[in-house]
Amino acid sequence: MATLPLSLAIRPCCGAIQSSKLTAAPHYICKSKLTQVPGRIIVERKLLCGEASKNVVKTNRDINLRLFAASRVSVDQTEQIFTTSTEVDELKKMSTYLFRTELGGLVNVFIRKADVKYEVKIEVISLQLSSGDNRLVLIWGVYRSDSSNFISLESQQPVPDAKTKMIETPFMQNSLGRYVVELEFEAKQTPFYLSFLLKSPLGSDSSDLEIRSHLKASFCVPVGFNAGSPAPLGPSFPTDDTINFAIFSRNAESVVLCLYDDIKAEEPALELDLDPYVNRSGDVWHASMESSWNFVSYCYRCKWAVSQGNRHKSHAERVLLDPYAKVIQNSIPIHPESGLVSTYLGQPCKEPAFDWDGDVCLNLPMEKLMVYRLNVNRFTKHKSSQLLTEVAGTFSGLTEKVHHLKDLGLNAVLLEPIFPFDEQKGPYFPRHFFSPMPLHGPSGACIAAINSMKEMVKKLHANGIEVLLEVVYTHTADGGALQGIDDLSYYYGKEVEDLKTRNVLKCNHPIVQQLILDSLRYWVTEFHIDGFCFINASSLLRGFHGEYLSRPPLVEAIAFDPLLSKVKIIADCSGPHDVVPKEIHFPHWKRWAEVNTRFCNDVRNFLRGEGLLSYLATRLCGSGDVFSDGRGPAYSFNFIARNSGLPLVDLVSFSSDQLATELSWNCGEEGPTKRSAVLKRRLKQVRNFLFVLYVSLGVPILNMGDECGQSSGGSPSYADRKLFNWNTMATGFGIQTKQFISFLSSFRLKRSDLLQQRNFLKEENIDWYGSDLSPPRWEDASYKFLAVRLED
């Protein structure tokens, strides 16, 4: 047995950063003594070789570095066959790879972890050498972050000259005629790739014969980690001591897994260049390793082929958040000049356990809902909430205000998007789809936000209140989201001319559809969410080339998904900053509800003296012109004011030319006033709006702040919305309006037989009257009086 010195610190090469914590191992061992496979393992794994790397450089006697860079062979493992418990235990610790050589014959590689070492056994079977010399030599090297650069055994730096640094180890031939060599590495030296080829001397007058795989490539196997599994995507834990990483990227030339050992580190402790044949299945790159490694965060880097032009050039060195990461954390410091731009990193850990014992799915009928739309941060962030600083503006802060929701008589909250978002542009530009915004947690950490949100959901359920989420799956933030992973698959490009914004997702692309469905299911299973309102839902109907589809696969899949069919799904075809809401026929399969912009427009027009009585009557009766196509009034989500546009009090206070699209009326004077006549008229109009909202068939949505006269100063911009000022609830307007809403909620509940109908009222049960009890003048635009009598 020969022992060679080695100083293998876990340190990436070719520009990668050395570890700040991982230490060097003392040596590796080459065994010349033949041993049997542990436990007499009877195993047969079929490993299919992939394409040969095109940059293999053939040499005669000298071994060129690029020869080792071509060590890419794909692996397809089959089921193991074993007979004893000892063999079972051994097989759990062993990976087996089978290659075919270019001369025929097979190369078996067995990798097994034994205590703190990795044993690598290479066995050559049925290899027919052309010369009478039966000597066979293994030529090998190891690499991590860049397969074109090998690691020096002495210095752990990239090898500038492979001719003098590659290691030659002779095979031993056993009694069965098989060539065998064994190597041992300290566990601290791993993970890495072992790349090798075979060499057979041909005599003094001829060059040595170099033997590669049947694809003319070097042999390559991972040591200290495994090929992993392509499913599920994201981090997963197939066993208690193993973590699997998987990410989709069809068009990446290579993918690098970056691992950090310090939350404050700017550079990764280890970069693992995933082999496209060993660590790739179809379009998914994957790897697994022991979860005992002390890595606290991870991300990816994708490299792109030159043939893809400049489309991905800006992403070449960017660290990328795993789209399926469940626990995230604030990223490394941002350095745009270096291209290392990312907002978050994933954490390689399981989601925190939570005790859902006692939580009950309310499953309220759609027609029974009375909804309050709010922004988690703005709802309790103001100091007037009288909450502790670490609680204000969080899920826990919302939990502290449950009594306010109950006083208003509401039984559902609709949360503005809570996914991690672009803080410059707001929550309607998400960066991630599988975790709540860390800032919504008491400590600003993701795990705290996860636990806080689950506590909030559980408490709201206990108080009879369902939790609905506004979600944005049609576009992302301009950076730090999915950009750089596979833009050709995820995003529309310049080929779609009518797109007004960048970073629009191809929602009906199979991989994006899978991402959205997996995200929705995750929120239902892990957070017990009761429903979703899809912002900019009209974009869910687009096909691959931006065309509108009559049967969009994603919308149909959500409608018929076994899990999502149990929750409420609502389409809001307006975008986050649309001046004029879109009106589009949304395919619903009798499952999708819709946010009713026609209700908003017709009620606003009527109360400012425009529009026909027939329009208002249609809205009062559940918008049969929209929802009589197999659904009913319960599928109409009605609103007067929303989070974009003018708040309710501003609808009756501002009506300048710049606000023409808001359909508002200032009641006689623009902006704030002290004139009592104007103030009384405004109060009356506010009550008119609320009254129509609550007596109309459909689901009423009350916007945060409308119960206390919260104003944006006449600005319809979402950015000008202010924090909820709890002091305004003690004003005369706040007290009266809150009481009025509470009365309307009670009245709606008391006469649920008429006002909370799942089906449309029969025409014979509705009587309409004008001001003199005569039939209304439906088509007279100057006629502004309408009375109705309903019968059950």
Side-chain angles (χ1 to χ4, degrees), residues 92 142 177 426 460 642 790:
K92 288 180 179 179
V142 298
L460 290 176
R642 60 187 304 163
L790 304 178

Side-chain angles (χ1 to χ4, degrees), residues 115 133 247 261 281 331 463 539 570 616 678 710 723 732 768 785:
D115 297 327
D133 193 340
I247 185 173
D261 59 2
S281 299
S331 75
N463 284 273
S539 289
I570 309 127
L616 177 63
V678 174
Q710 193 88 18
L723 302 179
W768 301 100
F785 184 90

Side-chain angles (χ1 to χ4, degrees), residues 63-93:
I63 306 301
N64 188 282
L65 177 60
R66 291 188 179 273
L67 174 143
F68 289 88
S71 55
R72 306 297 175 93
V73 286
S74 69
V75 180
D76 182 18
Q77 300 184 2
T78 61
E79 183 180 0
Q80 302 174 359
I81 305 173
F82 48 84
T83 57
T84 69
S85 59
T86 302
E87 293 169 1
V88 173
D89 294 337
E90 293 294 340
L91 283 170
K92 288 180 179 179
K93 302 177 182 179

Side-chain angles (χ1 to χ4, degrees), residues 79 100 120 158 233 323 330 355 377 501 590 614 679 750 757:
E79 183 180 0
R100 185 155 50 92
V120 180
L233 291 172
N330 292 335
D355 182 12
N377 183 264
T501 60
K590 298 182 181 181
S614 57
L679 292 174
K750 183 177 181 180
Q757 287 281 342

Side-chain angles (χ1 to χ4, degrees), residues 17 84 124 153 182 278 291 303 340 346 361 393 447 466 502 554 563 602 633 648 651 664 691 735:
I17 307 304
T84 69
V124 181
L153 294 178
E182 293 188 10
V278 175
S291 58
K303 298 179 182 178
L340 297 177
C361 179
I447 290 180
E466 289 194 338
R502 297 181 299 165
L554 174 62
L563 179 62
D602 287 344
L648 179 57
L651 283 174
S664 58
F691 177 77
I735 293 172

